[in-house]
Amino acid sequence: MNQTEIISIFTKKTLGLTFVLSAAAFAFAQEKVGISGTVVDKSNQPVPYASVTFSNKENKLFSDATLTDEKGSYKLDLTPGNYDITVEAIDYKKSVLNKQITKPGSVGALSIEAEAVSTNLKTQDIQGVTITVAQKPYKVELDKRTYDPSQDIVSKGGSLQDVLSNVPSVSVDTDGTVSMRGSSNVRFLINGKPSALLGIDDGANALQSIPADQIERIEVITNPSSKFEASGTAGILNIILKKTKKTGFNGSVIGTLGYLPQTNLNTNLSWRKGNLTWFLNGGGGYRESKNTNRNNATFFNPTNGGRSQTDQESITKNKNSNYNVSSGIVYDISDKTSVNASGTVRTFESDNIGNITYDYRFLNAPGLFTQRINTGSNNNLAFQGDFGLDHKFNDKGQNLSLSLSLQSNRSFNDTDVNQVTNNIFELQNSISQNTRNKTVVGKADYELPIGENSKVEAGYRIDINNNNYDNDVLERYASNVDFHYLNNFTYNANYEEIFNAGYVQFKSKIGKLGYQVGVRNEYSNVNIKYSNLNADSDNIDSKKRYNNLFPTVFLSYEIAKDNQFLLNYSRRIDRPRSWFLIPNPSYTDNQNIFEGNIDLNPSYVDSYELGYSISKGKFTINPTLYYKHSTDDVKMLVYSDNGVFKTKPINLGNNDSYGLDLNFNWDATKWLKFLGNVDLFGYNSTGIYSGPELAGKEPMSFEGKGFSTRARLTSTFKVDKTFSFQLQGFYRGAQKTANQDRNDMYALNFGASKTIWKGDGTLSFNIQDIFNTRAMRSTTNNAEFMRESYMQWQPRQFAVSLTYRFKQGEKIEQPKRKKDINSNATGDDQGGPM
């Protein structure tokens, strides 16, 4: 049976399963009735944000809960039956009563009595089902959008990379590169800080080391305010990890099995009592992956009309294992002051074997068939310690937050390469790349309310980063027994950067018009030292200094409740990555070499957005028009040097991008929900390069413009209260520049989730890339060569996950009284940390 037949059978069976499950949704849906009511105190005054829990006495799976609005009212859909109704609110005594629900209508007013002395919220364990208030998976705020992955079935048991693949306005390429609205210059934060969890230039490996089950939410900040650091011209992705919001001792354990072979076991534990909160998250796993790259190139010789052809195929199989543990405490010294401390350790190890083949064919000469067998290993160890203090001066919102983060990361990479040409041993490489990073981040944030509608925010931040690179490359030919160093690629480098930043911003509201204006100043001090073994090369001792102001403006106009216009502007900076500046950062393939550029400078982006957000009942839509203008744009120069492809970052010309980013969430029925994202974007790039790399050759044009699309649609089918499944489709349109055409790409994912053990367990199953179509294809053309490229980072895979929950207190959201353990990481509704 060939591959086409297998895909055809798989497609028919998958579509058949979809229809069967859809039919089951109709057959098993429970008929519910709509009820409403109010919660009042003994003076018959409404009690806002009280939790109202309906516990079905016959079947706990029919239980549900909600919160009252600011007027003390609530609405809920329930299956008819006998219910115990529990009403709780901060500073009120708990009230419990019984009621038979038989038909739609009002339950009436539920009365609760105030406590004699104010106490903290207490919740009660409800056996057999987890009572939570339903949250929308995607929420729009003034300067950020928040994605909740808890309802994302297709990434259950996966990693941060799998979750990011489902986040609106975010896309993940086949090589693990994360981009927002077409730009890969994304700044990652963990709990509001740069983190050792994401390692040193670890790319997709780092994203795969953070389990999806440890992620509480992801903040998508496409146009950050002055409160955030100015790096990342595409925007910021702030990964908020889980922390306790429940009383007593609570936790969950999740185990995953999958293919390509994958095993994971992770746990989240928390304990909260009185003034002390503690949490522990940890786990680990094993995962295999397979990466495929193909490059078929034809070289032209304009002097004699001759040509040669090179067909390259690289297949790498990786075996990865990772372990991580995070633990922390927060202690409330008083009602107004709390301190917190947390620590994280992460290890990542991998073994890989790669087979790169080169098939050279010439016009009037015998061909050559070369193979390079790569055997490598990677060992990464990261530590991070965070300390903070939060002080509330009064109950009006005057707050001070101080934090210090100490981070360390080291990465060892060893690779052995054997090259054979026409079945005859030719040469061997031995490569050792060791990288060490130490980071200190200190910051202070202050908030001062002015009146009822205004607030001033100010702060200071210092980042100290030190990266050390030690790279050894040895080589021996068949005629030699001993190895010798490749002088250009054997080097020591030190990259040190110190950023000092201060910001101030003011926000207020006049009638229906809300506004926030701010400015941030950043002084960057970068020192680079580099030396290699080449006697003809000069040692490099480069110093770079940048001092910039970054203004931000945010406006909102509320037409009606949940209906507003949003307009904002920010200026951002794209600082070169450390390994973009080091002349020879890596060496694994002597036919494809990446070169750094010590002369690379930052590029700057002016970003504008005009958005509209409306929420009507079960439908929310957020269209955003955006425009970005980049100067001294960083482009990748790809050129041929005696048949060897070299890639080098350069500053060249400008780049304009614009488009419509449309996000929507629709609860179509009680059993069917949609979450969608469509990005229609255009681009216009300028620049013609004729530098020394192209001496004697025609200049290379980077000019190009065009229009393309990206789209993602997730549909969730709720068969009954315990069983749901998802189908998710992804599409990215083709793109074209002066010398490169990139083909379109699409993929389809599937997930299913079943609640078991009376609500204490969840069984999940998912398939990533059902039809194995998620691969990047492109064609590069110039006067010297034409190259067709193919890349697939990961083939089709599936996984089964089992989650078990044990708890004393159920999570029922209440208005925030104190900052939690990551309070230094997450700000209020206007943004996060510096």
Side-chain angles (χ1 to χ4, degrees):
M1 183 179 294
N2 59 38
Q3 185 178 7
T4 303
E5 292 173 328
I6 294 174
I7 293 177
S8 176
I9 293 173
F10 200 91
T11 302
K12 292 177 181 177
K13 289 184 178 292
T14 303
L15 293 176
L17 177 61
T18 301
F19 287 123
V20 170
L21 292 178
S22 299
F26 288 104
F28 292 103
Q30 294 288 334
E31 191 66 32
K32 295 184 178 182
V33 296
I35 63 168
S36 61
T38 59
V39 175
V40 298
D41 59 18
K42 292 302 181 181
S43 301
N44 208 35
Q45 296 298 311
V47 179
Y49 309 116
S51 66
V52 186
T53 303
F54 289 80
S55 299
N56 191 288
K57 297 180 71 66
E58 288 82 21
N59 190 337
K60 296 300 183 184
L61 294 177
F62 295 152
S63 300
D64 211 341
T66 188
L67 291 178
T68 61
D69 60 19
E70 64 275 8
K71 297 180 180 179
S73 301
Y74 65 90
K75 293 182 179 180
L76 198 63
D77 292 333
L78 290 174
T79 301
N82 190 11
Y83 287 86
D84 284 335
I85 306 175
T86 303
V87 184
E88 297 178 279
I90 295 175
D91 298 334
Y92 287 87
K93 296 180 180 179
K94 180 173 66 175
S95 173
V96 181
L97 69 155
N98 181 268
K99 194 171 185 64
Q100 185 77 27
I101 305 295
T102 58
K103 60 182 179 179
S106 174
V107 175
L110 305 176
S111 180
I112 55 177
E113 181 180 350
E115 291 272 14
V117 179
S118 297
T119 60
N120 288 333
L121 169 68
K122 295 181 179 179
T123 57
Q124 179 181 1
D125 183 32
I126 300 172
Q127 297 297 325
V129 64
T130 300
I131 303 298
T132 60
V133 179
Q135 299 289 331
K136 291 186 180 296
Y138 191 72
K139 182 172 65 175
V140 178
E141 301 177 46
L142 181 61
D143 60 355
K144 65 183 177 183
R145 300 168 177 85
T146 302
Y147 178 75
D148 177 6
S150 63
Q151 301 177 48
D152 182 2
I153 302 175
V154 297
S155 64
K156 289 285 185 183
S159 64
L160 171 59
Q161 181 174 333
D162 299 315
V163 175
L164 290 174
S165 298
N166 306 325
V167 177
S169 302
V170 178
S171 61
V172 182
D173 270 342
T174 55
D175 61 352
T177 300
V178 178
S179 61
M180 295 167 61
R181 295 175 177 172
S183 173
S184 61
N185 187 235
V186 177
R187 181 65 166 166
F188 280 97
L189 303 177
I190 301 291
N191 293 331
K193 309 179 190 74
S195 175
L197 279 174
L198 291 180
I200 313 169
D201 305 324
D202 279 347
N205 289 338
L207 300 180
Q208 292 175 5
S209 69
I210 300 178
D213 186 58
Q214 292 184 8
I215 301 168
E216 180 171 305
R217 68 182 186 275
I218 296 177
E219 296 176 348
V220 182
I221 309 167
T222 55
N223 223 8
S225 70
S226 59
K227 197 171 185 178
F228 288 91
E229 57 183 306
S231 297
T233 54
I236 293 173
L237 289 175
N238 189 19
I239 316 300
I240 306 299
L241 301 181
K242 287 183 177 178
K243 49 197 177 290
T244 181
K245 289 186 180 179
K246 307 176 183 179
T247 58
F249 182 72
N250 303 273
S252 65
V253 177
I254 179 170
T256 302
L257 294 173
Y259 184 83
L260 300 174
Q262 171 190 355
T263 60
N264 287 287
L265 183 64
N266 293 284
T267 185
N268 302 302
L269 305 176
S270 65
W271 182 75
R272 180 179 178 182
K273 186 175 183 180
N275 294 336
L276 182 65
T277 301
W278 167 86
F279 80 89
L280 174 67
N281 300 329
Y286 171 85
R287 186 170 189 161
E288 294 187 13
S289 62
K290 178 183 177 182
N291 312 327
T292 303
N293 286 271
R294 299 189 189 98
N295 289 290
N296 300 324
T298 300
F299 295 88
F300 308 106
N301 189 335
T303 58
N304 59 16
R307 66 174 59 192
S308 61
Q309 185 167 333
T310 302
D311 294 335
Q312 173 195 341
E313 182 178 68
S314 172
I315 298 177
T316 304
K317 296 181 179 180
N318 296 283
K319 297 179 179 180
N320 307 322
S321 59
N322 68 86
Y323 304 92
N324 66 86
V325 60
S326 299
S327 184
I329 61 171
V330 58
Y331 181 73
D332 297 331
I333 299 174
S334 67
D335 288 340
K336 295 184 177 181
T337 304
S338 66
V339 293
N340 63 73
S342 62
T344 299
V345 180
R346 188 207 74 168
T347 66
F348 178 86
E349 296 181 355
S350 69
D351 294 309
N352 60 78
I353 182 169
N355 187 352
I356 306 177
T357 61
Y358 302 94
D359 188 0
Y360 301 94
R361 293 188 294 279
F362 307 100
L363 186 63
N364 295 309
L368 297 174
F369 184 79
T370 298
Q371 283 185 296
R372 284 176 65 86
I373 308 299
N374 297 267
T375 304
S377 64
N378 170 269
N379 182 284
N380 183 283
L381 178 63
F383 298 91
Q384 179 169 332
D386 295 300
F387 310 90
L389 180 146
D390 297 304
H391 179 68
K392 183 171 64 173
F393 293 93
N394 51 45
D395 294 328
K396 297 180 180 180
Q398 184 182 3
N399 303 316
L400 174 66
S401 295
L402 305 175
S403 72
L404 177 68
S405 182
L406 307 176
Q407 305 173 22
S408 176
N409 191 314
R410 64 109 175 110
S411 180
F412 298 154
N413 292 274
D414 295 308
T415 305
D416 187 75
V417 182
N418 283 279
Q419 181 170 311
V420 176
T421 298
N422 290 349
N423 295 321
I424 299 175
F425 172 76
E426 187 172 13
L427 63 86
Q428 181 181 1
N429 286 131
S430 179
I431 304 164
S432 176
Q433 298 172 313
N434 299 328
T435 308
R436 294 179 181 270
N437 168 263
K438 294 181 180 179
T439 300
V440 177
V441 180
K443 66 188 188 72
D445 295 289
Y446 176 71
E447 301 175 355
L448 176 64
I450 302 176
E452 294 185 359
N453 296 323
S454 303
K455 180 190 287 188
V456 173
E457 297 175 294
Y460 168 77
R461 172 170 172 161
I462 183 171
D463 286 60
I464 303 174
N465 301 298
N466 191 292
N467 293 0
N468 282 294
Y469 298 88
D470 187 2
N471 201 67
D472 293 338
V473 180
L474 294 97
E475 186 173 81
R476 74 176 181 92
Y477 287 94
S479 57
N480 296 327
V481 176
D482 298 328
F483 282 94
H484 66 276
Y485 284 102
L486 291 182
N487 294 339
N488 282 338
F489 299 98
T490 301
Y491 65 84
N492 290 303
N494 178 261
Y495 177 91
E496 182 181 60
E497 59 183 11
I498 301 177
F499 300 147
N500 283 276
Y503 77 91
V504 61
Q505 63 184 27
F506 176 77
K507 57 183 177 182
S508 185
K509 189 173 184 180
I510 303 174
K512 296 183 177 181
L513 177 66
Y515 63 92
Q516 175 180 294
V517 294
V519 65
R520 183 182 186 88
N521 185 82
E522 289 191 353
Y523 177 72
S524 308
N525 187 334
V526 179
N527 298 315
I528 304 168
K529 294 182 179 180
Y530 170 88
S531 62
N532 63 24
L533 295 183
N534 194 335
D536 297 330
S537 298
D538 295 327
N539 292 339
I540 294 174
D541 189 352
S542 174
K543 301 181 184 298
K544 297 176 180 289
R545 307 288 184 268
Y546 316 106
N547 188 60
N548 304 103
L549 285 174
F550 300 97
T552 59
V553 179
F554 291 82
L555 302 173
S556 66
Y557 185 80
E558 189 175 30
I559 300 174
K561 184 181 178 181
D562 297 326
N563 187 344
Q564 62 179 333
F565 281 101
L566 303 168
L567 176 66
N568 57 61
Y569 161 78
S570 71
R571 182 167 173 81
R572 309 283 296 164
I573 186 173
D574 177 12
R575 295 188 184 91
R577 303 173 188 177
S578 59
W579 54 281
F580 272 28
L581 294 166
I582 297 172
N584 304 110
S586 64
Y587 182 93
T588 54
D589 181 0
N590 60 7
Q591 299 299 302
N592 292 275
I593 296 176
F594 183 90
E595 296 182 325
N597 182 0
I598 194 69
D599 298 319
L600 196 65
N601 291 315
S603 61
Y604 298 88
V605 171
D606 291 287
S607 180
Y608 306 82
E609 289 186 0
L610 173 61
Y612 177 66
S613 178
I614 183 172
S615 182
K616 284 288 187 181
K618 298 180 179 180
F619 186 76
T620 300
I621 187 169
N622 171 225
T624 301
L625 294 170
Y626 63 89
Y627 170 73
K628 292 185 178 183
H629 175 69
S630 174
T631 57
D632 287 331
D633 191 46
V634 176
K635 294 180 170 66
M636 289 297 172
L637 173 68
V638 179
Y639 65 100
S640 175
D641 183 6
N642 295 319
V644 175
F645 284 107
K646 293 186 176 181
T647 303
K648 181 178 182 179
I650 58 173
N651 293 110
L652 184 69
N654 301 326
N655 186 70
D656 294 304
S657 61
Y658 53 91
L660 170 64
D661 188 6
L662 176 66
N663 300 300
F664 67 90
N665 182 70
W666 180 30
D667 295 346
T669 68
K670 296 177 182 178
W671 54 271
L672 178 61
K673 297 181 180 180
F674 293 100
L675 174 66
N677 169 237
V678 178
D679 187 9
L680 309 174
F681 64 97
Y683 51 92
N684 185 9
S685 181
T686 65
I688 297 177
Y689 187 75
S690 58
E693 296 85 359
L694 301 180
K697 304 176 184 178
E698 292 187 9
M700 186 174 294
S701 173
F702 287 85
E703 300 197 350
K705 58 183 178 180
F707 199 82
S708 189
T709 59
R710 282 184 296 267
R712 182 186 294 111
L713 178 64
T714 301
S715 56
T716 303
F717 301 82
K718 187 175 182 180
V719 179
D720 59 27
K721 199 173 184 66
T722 67
F723 179 42
S724 299
F725 68 90
Q726 284 183 343
L727 281 175
Q728 181 191 84
F730 164 79
Y731 174 79
R732 189 188 68 191
Q735 289 183 253
K736 180 179 177 62
T737 60
N739 64 343
Q740 187 179 75
D741 294 338
R742 192 167 70 173
N743 295 10
D744 58 356
M745 181 173 65
Y746 65 94
L748 184 66
N749 306 320
F750 171 81
S753 177
K754 171 71 174 176
T755 301
I756 57 177
W757 296 330
K758 297 183 179 180
D760 290 334
T762 301
L763 183 64
S764 302
F765 171 76
N766 61 63
I767 304 176
Q768 300 283 342
D769 194 8
I770 294 175
F771 303 117
N772 208 35
T773 54
R774 196 167 183 268
M776 186 167 62
R777 297 172 175 83
S778 64
T779 302
T780 303
N781 286 281
N782 62 32
E784 186 180 1
F785 67 87
M786 185 274 290
R787 182 172 69 167
E788 295 180 346
S789 300
Y790 170 92
M791 175 185 291
Q792 184 182 48
W793 181 256
Q794 188 78 296
R796 175 176 49 240
Q797 54 191 317
F798 65 85
V800 178
S801 300
L802 177 63
T803 303
Y804 176 73
R805 290 175 288 272
F806 43 94
K807 64 267 185 184
Q808 289 182 350
E810 295 294 347
K811 175 185 172 184
I812 303 178
E813 296 284 356
Q814 292 285 343
K816 187 179 292 184
R817 290 170 60 87
K818 296 178 182 178
K819 293 189 176 183
D820 54 40
I821 199 164
N822 284 310
S823 57
N824 282 292
T826 55
D828 57 15
D829 60 347
Q830 298 304 316
M834 294 176 61

